[in-house]
């Protein structure tokens, strides 16, 4: 997600816009709706770094091509919260989210959907590590925390493995290129 300074730098240094044009665009951007901001980001840089325009989180959860046939019973509270976190494909409202509620409330499901959506967004990019980290072959890591490591690993991995195996999108995209390594006390590596 680009912040205002990152957007200014991109427009000045990579797009070679004049400072006045950048200031005008930033003023327009700050007054725009979230959906309009997302579209502006896609028009400015998305076509260069994305091989396809990602769908929104609601479509990702509900469409059977993505997760709709797997998660057809997601609590409305979690759907609403995920839509608040991901208001548009190119914008996130938060960089970090902490879920704290009762057992069996759906935290792991919500986290799995979020991780899968982040994976999906990365898979829509031409070269995610270069675009996000500035290095073509850098690793991108997803950190998942829980009350203890075995809970984080076993529950989350079960959810992710189920979705990777059952989602038509992930099956079509990865064709066995994305697999889980052996589970151990250190966690799981996805290669």
């Amino acid at each position: 997600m680009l912040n205002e300074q990152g957007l200014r730098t991109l427009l000045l240094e990579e797009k070679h816009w004049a400072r006045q044009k950048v200031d005008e665009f930033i003023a327009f951007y700050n007054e725009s709706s979230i959906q309009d901001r997302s579209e502006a980001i896609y028009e400015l840089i998305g076509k260069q770094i994305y091989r396809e325009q990602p769908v929104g989180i609601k479509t990702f959860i509900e469409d059977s091509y993505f997760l709709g046939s797997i998660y057809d019973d997601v609590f409305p509270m979690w759907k609403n919260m995920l839509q608040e976190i991901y208001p548009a494909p190119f914008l996130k409202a938060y960089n970090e989210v902490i879920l704290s509620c009762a057992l069996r409330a759906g935290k792991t499901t919500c986290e799995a959907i979020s991780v899968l959506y982040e994976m999906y967004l990365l898979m829509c990019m031409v070269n995610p590590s270069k675009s996000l980290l500035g290095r073509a072959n850098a690793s991108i890591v997803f950190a998942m925390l829980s009350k203890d490591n075995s809970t984080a690993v076993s529950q989350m991995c079960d959810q992710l493995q189920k979705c990777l195996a059952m989602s038509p999108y992930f099956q079509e995209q990865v064709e066995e290129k994305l697999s889980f390594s052996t589970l151990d006390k250190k966690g799981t590596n996805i290669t």
Side-chain angles (χ1 to χ4, degrees):
M1 179 172 95
L2 280 176
N3 59 21
E4 184 176 321
Q5 186 57 43
L7 190 54
R8 281 184 183 280
T9 301
L10 173 91
L11 296 174
L12 288 168
E13 295 177 8
E14 292 188 30
K15 297 291 185 180
H16 307 291
W17 285 16
R19 204 167 286 284
Q20 181 179 350
K21 185 176 178 183
V22 171
D23 291 340
E24 290 170 2
F25 178 81
I26 295 294
F28 158 79
Y29 182 83
N30 287 334
E31 294 172 7
S32 298
S33 70
I34 288 174
Q35 192 61 41
D36 288 342
R37 287 181 185 187
S38 183
E39 289 298 321
I41 297 268
Y42 184 70
E43 289 300 319
L44 286 171
I45 60 167
K47 292 178 179 177
Q48 298 165 343
I49 62 175
Y50 283 87
R51 75 178 103 239
E52 65 184 83
Q53 186 171 6
V55 300
I57 188 75
K58 183 176 186 204
T59 300
F60 185 74
I61 295 169
E62 295 176 354
D63 191 306
S64 61
Y65 179 60
F66 298 102
L67 300 181
S69 61
I70 302 163
Y71 289 123
D72 57 356
D73 60 348
V74 176
F75 295 147
M77 173 191 76
W78 293 125
K79 280 186 184 180
N80 293 337
M81 189 180 79
L82 286 163
Q83 286 180 285
E84 182 181 327
I85 294 167
Y86 300 101
F90 301 101
L91 295 173
K92 281 190 276 191
Y94 309 99
N95 290 321
E96 181 178 314
V97 176
I98 298 171
L99 304 178
S100 178
C101 55
L103 293 172
R104 311 280 309 147
K107 297 181 296 292
T108 301
T109 298
C110 182
E111 184 179 2
I113 292 170
S114 181
V115 168
L116 289 161
Y117 189 63
E118 292 284 346
M119 288 171 65
Y120 162 71
L121 293 173
L122 291 174
M123 292 171 72
C124 288
M125 298 176 92
V126 175
N127 188 336
S129 61
K130 183 172 186 211
S131 298
L132 299 173
L133 306 173
R135 297 186 323 229
N137 294 321
S139 294
I140 296 174
V141 177
F142 292 91
M144 293 159 272
L145 306 174
S146 188
K147 65 181 182 175
D148 58 52
N149 194 47
S150 66
T151 302
V153 171
S154 65
Q155 289 181 3
M156 181 55 67
C157 287
D158 286 349
Q159 292 275 333
L160 294 177
Q161 284 178 317
K162 176 177 89 172
C163 292
L164 291 173
M166 294 175 65
S167 165
Y169 170 80
F170 285 107
Q171 285 301 298
E172 182 180 293
Q173 296 300 314
V174 298
E175 298 174 343
E176 298 184 28
K177 295 176 194 164
L178 187 64
S179 61
F180 286 88
S181 67
T182 305
L183 299 180
D184 61 24
K185 291 182 179 182
K186 294 178 185 169
T188 302
N189 290 325
I190 300 176
T191 56

